[in-house]
């Protein structure tokens, strides 16, 4: 049975919205444990997909913020 990406994204976004401080930007294993604590997802595969999505989103947000701040500080924007 394939896991629908929408389910993973919705769950990840809800968790990030409700518990932003519970997740690390770079540590997948920490995020995996946080997903286990905060949800009742029994499937290991689904938990890992949600944790991977959260890690990706946190890195994406941090990278965008870094680039924006760098461009402003260098006067390139």
């Amino acid at each position: 049975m394939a896991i629908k990406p929408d389910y993973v994204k919705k769950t990840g976004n809800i968790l990030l919205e409700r518990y932003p401080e519970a997740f690390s930007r770079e540590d997948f294993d920490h995020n995996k444990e946080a997903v286990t604590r905060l949800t009742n997802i029994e499937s290991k595969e689904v938990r890992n997909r949600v944790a991977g999505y959260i890690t990706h989103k946190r890195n994406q947000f941090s990278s965008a913020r870094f680039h924006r701040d760098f461009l402003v500080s260098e006067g390139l924007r």
Side-chain angles (χ1 to χ4, degrees), residues 53-70:
Y53 176 75
I54 289 171
T55 304
H56 172 76
K57 289 296 281 188
R58 292 291 303 239
N59 282 330
Q60 186 179 35
F61 177 73
S62 296
S63 177
R65 180 187 298 163
F66 171 77
H67 289 299
R68 183 195 69 222
D69 292 345
F70 175 76

Side-chain angles (χ1 to χ4, degrees), residues 12-74:
N13 288 332
I14 289 170
L15 288 172
L16 280 172
E17 184 178 300
R18 290 184 185 171
Y19 311 102
E21 69 285 343
F23 299 102
S24 168
R25 182 169 60 102
E26 300 167 347
D27 190 7
F28 169 77
D29 291 323
H30 172 79
N31 293 343
K32 185 167 58 171
E33 292 300 321
V35 170
T36 302
R37 280 194 321 270
L38 297 171
T39 67
N40 61 352
I41 299 173
E42 295 179 6
S43 169
K44 179 180 176 181
E45 182 179 354
V46 175
R47 275 196 315 261
N48 287 347
R49 286 179 182 231
V50 172
Y53 176 75
I54 289 171
T55 304
H56 172 76
K57 289 296 281 188
R58 292 291 303 239
N59 282 330
Q60 186 179 35
F61 177 73
S62 296
S63 177
R65 180 187 298 163
F66 171 77
H67 289 299
R68 183 195 69 222
D69 292 345
F70 175 76
L71 292 175
V72 169
S73 69
E74 294 295 317

